[in-house]
Amino acid sequence: MARPTPWLRFPESTRYKAGLLVLATSLLLFFSIISTTSAFFGPQPDSFQPSSEKRELFIETYQELKKGQLPDLSETLVELQGYPLAPYLEYQLFRNQLAYQLVDNEQLLSFLRHHQGTAFHDKLKEEWLVQLGSKQDWKTYTLVAGSQALNDPQLECYRLQAEGNLQGRSLSWLETSAQFWRDNQPLPSSCEPLRQSLSKLGFLSQDDYWQGALGLMRAGQTQKAWDYREHLSKEQRQFLDFWRRGRLNPANRLQAAVEDRAAELETQPELGNEVLLDLLEQHASSHPSQTQRFIQQLEDKELLTAASAYRVHELLAIRAAWRNAPDTLELFAEVPENRRTAEGREWFARTQLRRGNWQKLVAAIQELPEALSQSNEWRYWLAKAYLQSDQPKTAEPLLESLAQVRNYYGFLAARELGVPPQMNASPAPLNAVPLQALSEKPGIQRAGELYLTGFVEDARREWHHTLAEASTATWQQAAWLAQNWGWYDRSVNAIHNAGSQNALELRFPLAHLDQLRPLAKKANLDLALVLALIRKESLFNPEARSHVGALGLMQVMPTTGQQVSRQLQTPLLAESDLLKPEYNLPIGVHYLSRLMQRYQDNPTLAAAAYNAGPSRASKWQQQLGKDTDPRWVEQITYAETRDYVKSILAFREVYAWRLQQQQLQLVRDTPKTPES
């Protein structure tokens, strides 16, 4: 096995001695509970036992419908009578009919009334309302939507138009509609007819448009704000144009203000400081040095308040801290301590930590807001700063308290003290009677059948719709049910919703071990590290897709997948193959093993490379040194990667414990051979 990084992994001899007898006793009790419910757990999730013929017919028809087809379902629905997913075929057929504008209103209304309270009801209803509103079929819209205000701005806009067209534009309607327009900027383009009606009838004033334009500018909706210019005064248009052009070229407008060429600001003196502050913040991201000069020049001309100047100086300092820039502390010096925000104070402390200024770090942590200073992270670094400042007696109580916590910093504290990490595991209750009752809920049965038939998105919608008002106890049983189905991401989510943070057997599932054990052994990888990475990357969801295109359990990028699959001589036939564990796991494990080899079995660097790419990880190694201790981790410039590495290292420790507990259970369950 690959050698663990010594500063976080604990020696086997010390890791699990403490409390082992107590843990073993609790686990024996826990597994005895499982054995009493094993008969129930057998056939889930299809406890209603539909025939394989019905299942296959549903899958075939639903897949056809999802491709946009319009088949005749009459015979199919007869064959699927009693099958819990049969309504999904009608639901998808109605969606297709809406897309082609071929829907029969009476049939769809009858279907919705018959299936109120289902997971798909609101989605189908909203799609129908959008189409009815776009067609201005106000009579049907009112029939479907009702008279109560709707949460969705587009649907509420249509509802108001329907009410005005059918019942007339009364004074009450005009006042309600005008207030809706004022309170919901920016509104979708479908609300344009409502705006025109209000404007023609004099219920939107110049001030309404001005306040709307300012609100849109503050929200970053520059073009939508500019669309209101024809309703503004000449001075308002000039001011808005100054701001709009400044968004496109901040330096140009800031220079104009410095050179007294910004008469537009004088027309709205109460807003001038706000606009200049906005343009300085825009400019600071790309031209920090020039922004500093602008701050001083605008202050000298009394166009910028001291509070705004401090705000921009702090922004420049924080952004410098993000980059680990050499001048970070000099930039923070421009902002008096009593004018720093919570974010600024934390980044000032983080900079002292990165520089190893231990005594100054103590003072910086003490200046943090209490919610930050009492966090696990800053409690650990305060203790570390005391140790580095030759104050071990002050540090020890902090470390002893923190070492009782199961997280990254708690594990670091335990290592400092030379004691085993505390897992604080507490098995979640597994109760056969409420579990049986839960499994018999129609929504849960539909969720299970949808998951089993491969329609996971629909399954997830059913699952959360059914459990929307669930109690803590119900969420706990739902976690067990989902884990038994192999739906691990919903199991982890359910136990999180239950608030059972110590139910490690559910929060950190030992999934896909039959595949992963031989793969990890062949790649000379620590199995706990592989499981930790999957837990972080996908939460054991084989269909996970990231915003950058990574796929599957180990979130493999398609280009990486193609390269590694060729090396393994198991070429991918399609990109979607990465959503299949039989492809994703060998590729992901092999890629991780290559990273571990590249970085001399250093999981910190391998994890950083897996998240941010090898080139960035190598750059950090060159800049920060080869000793990847905890302070090295804190200097990673990407916040996402910094947190990712911490999670992987902590999850790895938890999975090492989980695997050892599993091994202990196997030993206990193995029948002993009688001595001869």
Side-chain angles (χ1 to χ4, degrees):
M1 302 295 281
R3 287 180 302 152
T5 298
W7 62 262
L8 187 56
R9 294 301 302 279
F10 289 78
E12 297 293 336
S13 60
T14 62
R15 189 185 297 155
Y16 304 114
K17 284 182 179 178
L20 192 57
L21 180 60
V22 175
L23 287 169
T25 303
S26 64
L27 283 169
L28 280 171
L29 175 62
F30 170 67
F31 282 106
S32 70
I33 295 172
I34 290 182
S35 66
T36 65
T37 59
S38 58
F40 162 74
F41 261 152
Q44 291 301 310
D46 52 328
S47 57
F48 41 84
Q49 293 296 327
S51 68
S52 59
E53 292 81 6
K54 285 187 176 183
R55 227 174 231 164
E56 291 171 5
L57 178 58
F58 171 77
I59 293 172
E60 180 183 351
T61 309
Y62 201 37
Q63 286 175 339
E64 182 183 0
L65 286 162
K66 282 183 172 289
K67 294 176 182 177
Q69 302 300 311
L70 298 171
D72 181 358
L73 294 180
S74 53
E75 293 184 8
T76 303
L77 292 174
V78 171
E79 292 185 53
L80 291 179
Q81 189 171 3
Y83 183 65
L85 300 186
Y88 270 86
L89 301 182
E90 296 179 88
Y91 154 71
Q92 189 60 47
L93 179 61
F94 279 121
R95 293 188 70 203
N96 294 353
Q97 291 174 347
L98 284 171
Y100 294 121
Q101 299 190 23
L102 297 173
V103 73
D104 183 298
N105 287 344
E106 290 186 5
Q107 289 181 357
L108 179 49
L109 187 60
S110 174
F111 179 78
L112 286 173
R113 285 173 174 168
H114 186 66
H115 292 284
Q116 289 187 26
T118 59
F120 54 72
H121 176 277
D122 290 350
K123 181 177 176 63
L124 182 59
K125 178 180 174 180
E126 288 174 8
E127 290 179 4
W128 190 18
L129 287 174
V130 169
Q131 186 182 99
L132 292 171
S134 65
K135 293 167 63 177
Q136 298 186 9
D137 183 351
W138 303 128
K139 184 177 179 180
T140 309
Y141 191 96
T142 301
L143 182 65
V144 177
S147 58
Q148 297 299 314
L150 303 173
N151 292 328
D152 183 275
Q154 181 182 22
L155 298 183
E156 175 62 6
C157 194
Y158 280 143
R159 191 194 67 80
L160 289 169
Q161 291 179 67
E163 184 180 317
N165 278 275
L166 295 177
Q167 300 179 22
R169 295 170 174 80
S170 65
L171 179 61
S172 174
W173 179 88
L174 287 165
E175 290 175 344
T176 299
S177 299
Q179 195 60 47
F180 167 77
W181 185 92
R182 296 184 193 104
D183 294 343
N184 291 277
Q185 295 296 322
L187 285 167
S189 58
S190 56
C191 280
E192 182 60 15
L194 179 66
R195 184 200 65 77
Q196 291 177 356
S197 296
L198 293 170
S199 194
K200 287 178 182 178
L201 294 169
F203 271 77
L204 290 180
S205 66
Q206 184 183 91
D207 187 61
D208 286 330
Y209 280 111
W210 177 234
Q211 294 303 320
L214 292 177
L216 289 168
M217 288 297 295
R218 289 163 181 150
Q221 301 281 341
T222 305
Q223 184 55 52
K224 287 185 178 293
W226 188 239
D227 290 341
Y228 292 164
R229 63 188 180 279
E230 63 182 278
H231 304 283
L232 306 177
S233 68
K234 179 181 178 181
E235 290 78 13
Q236 289 169 340
R237 286 198 300 271
Q238 290 174 340
F239 184 88
L240 188 64
D241 187 45
F242 178 92
W243 197 352
R244 181 179 70 94
R245 290 177 182 274
R247 284 273 176 85
L248 297 173
N249 188 345
N252 179 275
R253 297 292 85 190
L254 290 168
Q255 189 64 42
V258 168
E259 296 176 357
D260 298 323
R261 294 186 290 105
E264 298 91 339
L265 295 178
E266 298 175 7
T267 65
Q268 306 288 336
E270 72 282 3
L271 296 172
N273 179 77
E274 178 186 353
V275 171
L276 291 173
L277 173 60
D278 177 61
L279 300 186
L280 285 167
E281 290 176 340
Q282 295 276 328
H283 199 51
S285 61
S286 54
H287 297 84
S289 298
Q290 189 179 37
T291 301
Q292 285 182 282
R293 291 195 295 273
F294 278 137
I295 294 171
Q296 186 61 57
Q297 291 169 331
L298 292 170
E299 272 196 295
D300 291 344
K301 289 185 169 292
E302 298 183 350
L303 294 174
L304 192 71
T305 65
S308 294
Y310 291 143
R311 179 172 169 178
V312 184
H313 278 303
E314 185 182 68
L315 176 63
L316 290 168
I318 291 171
R319 288 180 172 172
W322 292 351
R323 306 188 308 273
N324 256 350
D327 62 343
T328 300
L329 292 177
E330 288 78 1
L331 291 170
F332 271 117
E334 298 288 339
V335 187
E337 288 186 11
N338 63 349
R339 305 304 292 266
R340 292 175 189 164
T341 64
E343 183 185 14
R345 289 170 187 266
E346 183 169 27
W347 276 103
F348 178 73
R350 195 172 298 283
T351 303
Q352 300 291 7
L353 164 61
R354 288 172 168 179
R355 304 290 169 82
N357 299 334
W358 299 110
Q359 291 184 353
K360 292 181 178 179
L361 176 59
V362 170
I365 294 174
Q366 291 171 343
E367 289 297 320
L368 292 175
E370 185 176 1
L372 281 174
S373 66
Q374 294 304 307
S375 68
N376 293 323
E377 177 180 7
W378 290 113
R379 285 166 62 208
Y380 172 78
W381 285 115
L382 180 60
K384 190 71 173 178
Y386 282 134
L387 287 176
Q388 295 293 330
S389 303
D390 295 323
Q391 301 180 62
K393 291 185 178 180
T394 309
E396 283 178 9
L398 289 169
L399 292 172
E400 288 171 355
S401 172
L402 191 55
Q404 303 304 310
V405 179
R406 183 192 63 252
N407 75 358
Y408 173 76
Y409 292 102
F411 295 157
L412 291 180
R415 177 188 170 271
E416 289 283 350
L417 295 172
V419 300
Q422 296 299 306
M423 293 299 156
N424 305 316
S426 177
L430 175 60
N431 300 318
V433 174
L435 192 60
Q436 180 71 42
L438 176 65
S439 72
E440 291 174 353
K441 286 181 176 289
I444 294 298
Q445 291 191 343
R446 286 193 297 268
E449 187 68 1
L450 284 164
Y451 175 72
L452 190 69
T453 52
F455 300 104
V456 180
E457 183 179 348
D458 293 314
R460 186 176 286 110
R461 191 180 301 116
E462 277 283 1
W463 175 265
H464 287 287
H465 179 81
T466 305
L467 294 168
E469 304 298 328
S471 66
T472 294
T474 300
W475 274 117
Q476 287 176 338
Q477 302 313 305
W480 282 115
L481 193 61
Q483 188 184 77
N484 184 65
W485 295 351
W487 202 4
Y488 297 108
D489 63 307
R490 290 308 87 197
S491 177
V492 175
N493 175 265
I495 203 64
H496 172 77
N497 290 340
S500 302
Q501 299 304 309
N502 293 329
L504 302 190
E505 72 283 4
L506 290 167
R507 291 191 60 223
F508 294 87
L510 297 175
H512 304 285
L513 290 187
D514 289 344
Q515 288 176 272
L516 288 173
R517 282 190 193 278
L519 288 171
K521 184 176 181 180
K522 182 179 179 181
N524 194 33
L525 282 179
D526 179 12
L527 180 57
L529 176 63
V530 178
L531 287 165
L533 188 139
I534 298 172
R535 170 66 163 75
K536 180 63 177 177
E537 287 285 354
S538 67
L539 210 62
F540 291 92
N541 176 12
E543 296 193 358
R545 299 170 185 262
S546 79
H547 68 281
V548 296
L551 300 172
L553 288 167
M554 298 188 73
Q555 289 292 276
V556 179
M557 292 296 291
T559 52
T560 302
Q562 289 291 351
Q563 293 170 2
V564 176
S565 67
R566 285 193 293 269
Q567 294 170 6
L568 296 174
Q569 297 182 343
T570 55
L572 298 174
L573 299 178
E575 185 177 292
S576 58
D577 282 346
L578 288 172
L579 299 174
K580 303 172 183 176
E582 60 267 29
Y583 286 95
N584 189 281
L585 292 178
I587 290 171
V589 168
H590 185 76
Y591 180 62
L592 178 60
S593 73
R594 282 171 45 192
L595 293 176
M596 287 290 280
Q597 291 168 17
R598 176 171 179 167
Y599 295 110
Q600 292 77 48
D601 290 340
N602 186 316
T604 299
L605 283 166
Y610 203 98
N611 178 259
S615 61
R616 293 191 182 98
S618 296
K619 183 178 179 181
W620 289 323
Q621 186 181 32
Q622 292 171 0
Q623 292 175 339
L624 305 176
K626 294 183 178 181
D627 182 11
T628 55
D629 62 5
R631 195 161 70 88
W632 190 99
V633 174
E634 301 292 354
Q635 296 180 77
I636 295 174
T637 52
Y638 287 8
E640 177 188 330
T641 305
R642 190 166 60 246
D643 293 338
Y644 179 91
V645 169
K646 295 175 187 177
S647 294
I648 293 294
L649 296 174
F651 289 176
R652 183 192 191 193
E653 197 63 43
V654 176
Y655 268 113
W657 181 87
R658 289 279 288 125
L659 289 166
Q660 182 153 344
Q661 296 307 301
Q662 184 195 57
Q663 188 61 38
L664 287 172
Q665 183 62 36
L666 288 173
V667 170
R668 284 193 292 268
D669 291 345
T670 301
K672 291 183 172 60
T673 303
E675 294 182 7
S676 56

